[in-house]
Amino acid sequence: IRKTHPRPNLETPYRKPSNDIEDYICTLWEELLRLEQVGADDSFFDLGGQSLLAIQAINRLRQRYPVQLDMRELLEGTPTPANIADNIQQQLPDSNEINQLNKIIEEVESLSDEDVMAMLEEEAKTEKDKVNS
């Protein structure tokens, strides 16, 4: 069992996470930094974080969320769960986009092989007509 430590006495008052992404990041940092509590506005480095732990944090976030995150995310600016969660949230597709993609996938999966071949032949004919005109 890993020993955890209380949250350091920071200038930043503790604020509990306000959404699922902030909550995940706070929990991840608690685990990596062996802290009992991490607030949404706590800086990674003020909590005792260093570059090797930052690499682990970024890798875990990349595994969970399909977004672009780089080390500068944690090494520059103010690396807080709230700031990183905002970055992730901005990159995630919204629910309308996800619903539209799921509909398209369902339609494609329902096509027969013959339908797919016919559509591909039609597309090829259209492209050929564009080139010839």
Side-chain angles (χ1 to χ4, degrees):
I1 296 175
R2 291 178 145 186
K3 185 173 193 246
T4 59
H5 307 280
R7 178 178 178 266
N9 190 10
L10 304 174
E11 289 182 22
T12 309
Y14 174 80
R15 179 176 70 81
K16 74 180 213 171
S18 61
N19 61 53
D20 290 343
I21 299 174
E22 283 183 5
D23 186 57
Y24 177 78
I25 296 169
C26 288
T27 302
L28 172 63
W29 289 10
E30 288 168 4
E31 179 186 319
L32 290 174
L33 300 170
R34 297 181 184 168
L35 293 172
E36 293 170 4
Q37 189 176 52
V38 169
D41 298 321
D42 293 349
S43 166
F44 185 75
F45 298 108
D46 290 348
L47 294 169
Q50 35 85 354
S51 58
L52 289 176
L53 291 175
I55 291 168
Q56 289 180 32
I58 290 291
N59 285 338
R60 296 267 292 277
L61 290 168
R62 286 177 180 155
Q63 288 171 1
R64 182 166 179 115
Y65 301 104
V67 296
Q68 288 292 327
L69 293 172
D70 61 30
M71 280 304 295
R72 281 178 285 166
E73 182 73 23
L74 275 178
L75 299 176
E76 295 176 2
T78 309
T80 66
N83 291 342
I84 294 169
D86 283 344
N87 181 327
I88 290 170
Q89 190 70 51
Q90 289 172 15
Q91 293 185 57
L92 290 175
D94 68 26
S95 59
N96 286 337
E97 288 177 7
I98 291 171
N99 290 338
Q100 287 175 337
L101 288 172
N102 285 335
K103 272 186 188 172
I104 292 169
I105 290 168
E106 284 175 25
E107 287 176 28
V108 169
E109 288 175 343
S110 71
L111 294 172
S112 69
D113 290 346
E114 294 80 22
D115 291 340
V116 171
M117 291 306 294
M119 291 174 79
L120 289 172
E121 287 170 7
E122 183 62 33
E123 184 65 28
K125 182 180 181 292
T126 302
E127 287 299 314
K128 187 177 177 182
D129 290 347
K130 284 181 188 174
V131 170
N132 291 334
S133 56

